[in-house]
């Protein structure tokens, strides 16, 4: 197995372990066992320390999350459809990649990730907010949306999404499907032009 493949295997095992037992209880021994490694020392061979492993976990999950959302948004040409796709894709990722999101939640509350990754994460959050506000602005300009403050509406959308995230551990997949539909409808009603 190549070094890159082994690192990916360890990251995937770390994600599953953290989602299962929580960040504080996720030991190298548990991660190694889940990865099928003969020794937890193999983790130390591929990652300098726990912080480097956790930083890679965050990078991996956020990268896949962003690609998942962008692909679905880019499949649409109208602003209202792009907004629905944006909201739906975020909730679909939560439902389809539950362990990833539980891991991010656990790490966010407990872990110190490398400063460069923390900065990158903060930039991603700001970039998402700016992109959504710009999409809303474009919808207003085209007359697809009513007049409202795009920055405030973007903030509300993310607050609602984060509320769903906070219930992720207890939510059944069917509940997430219902939440997806209701949230999409709510945002559609809140932004729709009255013309």
């Amino acid at each position: 197995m190549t070094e890159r493949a082994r690192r990916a295997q360890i990251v995937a095992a770390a994600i599953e372990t953290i989602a299962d037992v929580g960040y504080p209880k996720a030991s190298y021994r548990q991660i190694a066992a889940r990865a099928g490694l003969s020794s937890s020392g193999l983790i130390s061979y591929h990652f300098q320390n726990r912080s480097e492993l956790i930083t890679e976990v965050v990078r991996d999950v956020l990268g896949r999350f962003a690609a998942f959302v962008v692909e679905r948004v880019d499949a649409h040409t109208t602003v209202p459809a792009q907004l629905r796709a944006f909201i739906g894709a975020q909730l679909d990722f939560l439902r389809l990649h539950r362990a990833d999101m539980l891991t991010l939640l656990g790490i966010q509350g407990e872990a110190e990730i490398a400063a460069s990754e923390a900065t990158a994460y903060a930039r991603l959050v700001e970039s998402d907010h700016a992109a959504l506000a710009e999409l809303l602005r474009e919808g207003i300009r085209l007359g697809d949306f009513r007049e409202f403050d795009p920055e405030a509406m973007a903030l509300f959308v993310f607050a609602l999404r984060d509320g769903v995230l906070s219930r992720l551990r207890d939510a059944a997949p069917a509940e997430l499907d219902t939440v997806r539909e209701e949230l999409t409808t709510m945002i559609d009603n809140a932004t729709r032009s009255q013309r």
Side-chain angles (χ1 to χ4, degrees), residues 25-37:
K25 294 180 182 176
S27 68
Y28 271 18
R29 184 180 51 74
Q30 290 169 312
I31 294 168
R34 196 172 293 244
L37 303 177

Side-chain angles (χ1 to χ4, degrees), residues 104-116:
L104 272 187
L105 283 173
I107 289 170
Q108 183 182 17
E110 302 278 348
E112 225 178 272
I113 58 175
S116 62

Side-chain angles (χ1 to χ4, degrees), residues 46-58:
H46 292 283
F47 296 94
Q48 285 184 332
N49 53 40
R50 187 174 172 95
S51 177
E52 183 183 354
L53 172 59
I54 297 306
T55 295
E56 189 59 32
V57 164
V58 170

